[in-house]
């Protein structure tokens, strides 16, 4: 008898509309997302790409419980998302660290919220500081850190309390190319070690292919799923590999005229 895999994340017929004030007492409805259906299995790394304004970040924010949906539902680990929760960790593009807390304090924050005893907190903090390569920076405040180091703290903080799903909204978008490459490799290494379930929003086709098990493509607004591509390439990946380049071309063709800004 075959065993069916229960998805970690289920997105069912999800829709999102906004009401826009046009002035003069007039309003209009903007359709951001339409009938999104998507499943992410436990331990999968799934990236979402699409044209600017297609709703990919909105989709992630709804999954995080930070935005309300207009229809359909998102289910994480068998429970419908109705707001923020400790079952989901979120990493934002702008780091979102607490400036008044040190590296250690930022990572401890979520552990305290989860009610983990102080002694265990210290062990967990040490583990994740080591995992992201920040040993020796435990008592440093964010304003003394580079952008790459701040994002390492944000990743460590999101992973430390072991959420069911890690949601990442263009986490490397503000970084220079060398730092971005370093953190891509770091994230891949962490994912291989922890097998976290990750939903990752990015503007970069190459980044999506380097990191993901699958790449989901959204259309221009209203965003609908136009492709769900399995990335069946060995890791670590070589972006000069002919198969990699073929997949990159395939995704670029799906994005059409928007593809120029996606490398």
């Amino acid at each position: 008898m075959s065993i069916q895999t229960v998805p970690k994340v289920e997105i069912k017929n999800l829709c999102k509309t906004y009401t826009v004030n046009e002035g003069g007492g007039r309003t209009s409805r903007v359709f951001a997302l339409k009938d999104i259906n998507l499943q992410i299995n436990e331990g999968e790394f799934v990236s979402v790409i699409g044209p600017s304004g297609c709703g990919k970040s909105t989709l992630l924010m709804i999954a995080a419980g930070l935005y309300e949906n207009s229809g359909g539902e998102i289910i994480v680990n068998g429970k419908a998302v109705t707001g923020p929760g400790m079952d989901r960790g979120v990493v934002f593009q702008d780091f979102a660290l607490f400036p008044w807390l040190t590296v250690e304090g930022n990572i401890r924050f979520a552990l305290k919220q989860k009610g983990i005893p102080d002694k265990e907190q210290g062990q967990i903090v040490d583990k994740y500081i080591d995992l992201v390569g920040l040993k020796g920076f435990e008592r440093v405040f964010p304003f003394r850190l580079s952008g790459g180091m701040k994002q390492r703290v944000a990743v460590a903080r999101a992973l430390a309390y072991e959420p069911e799903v890690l949601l990442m909204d263009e986490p490397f978008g503000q970084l220079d190319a060398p730092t971005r490459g370093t953190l891509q490799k770091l994230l891949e290494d962490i994912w291989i070690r922890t097998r976290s379930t990750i939903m990752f929003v990015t503007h970069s086709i190459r980044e999506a292919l380097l990191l993901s098990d699958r790449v989901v493509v959204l259309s221009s607004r209203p965003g609908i799923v136009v492709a769900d591509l399995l990335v069946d390439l060995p890791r670590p990946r070589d972006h000069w590999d002919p198969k990699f380049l073929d997949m990159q071309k395939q995704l670029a063709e799906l994005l059409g005229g928007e593809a120029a800004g996606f490398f």
Side-chain angles (χ1 to χ4, degrees), residues 34 234 240:
K34 182 180 179 182
W240 296 115

Side-chain angles (χ1 to χ4, degrees), residues 15-34:
C15 300
K16 177 64 178 177
T17 61
Y18 294 100
T19 300
V20 178
N21 187 345
E22 296 183 338
R26 293 175 301 172
T27 61
S28 62
R29 294 179 71 196
V30 174
F31 291 83
L33 296 167
K34 182 180 179 182

Side-chain angles (χ1 to χ4, degrees), residues 42-75:
E42 185 167 5
E44 269 194 311
F45 195 128
V46 175
S47 286
V48 180
I49 65 173
S52 179
C54 73
K56 53 189 180 294
S57 289
T58 297
L59 175 62
L60 186 135
M61 290 302 173
I62 295 172
L66 297 172
Y67 291 179
E68 291 185 357
N69 59 310
S70 305
E73 62 181 345
I74 297 183
I75 299 170

Side-chain angles (χ1 to χ4, degrees), residues 3 110 155 185 193 205 212:
I3 300 174
V155 170
K185 182 63 169 67
R193 291 172 65 175
I205 292 174
S212 310

Side-chain angles (χ1 to χ4, degrees), residues 85-86 88-90 98 101 103-116 121 124-125 154 156-163:
M86 298 296 288
R88 285 149 285 145
V90 187
F98 300 117
L101 295 178
V103 168
E104 179 182 359
N106 267 281
I107 299 171
R108 274 186 185 269
F109 181 82
L111 302 178
K112 290 179 180 178
Q113 298 299 305
K114 200 171 182 179
I116 295 172
Q121 286 181 27
I124 294 169
V125 169
R157 181 178 61 184
L159 285 171
Y161 65 92
E162 298 183 344

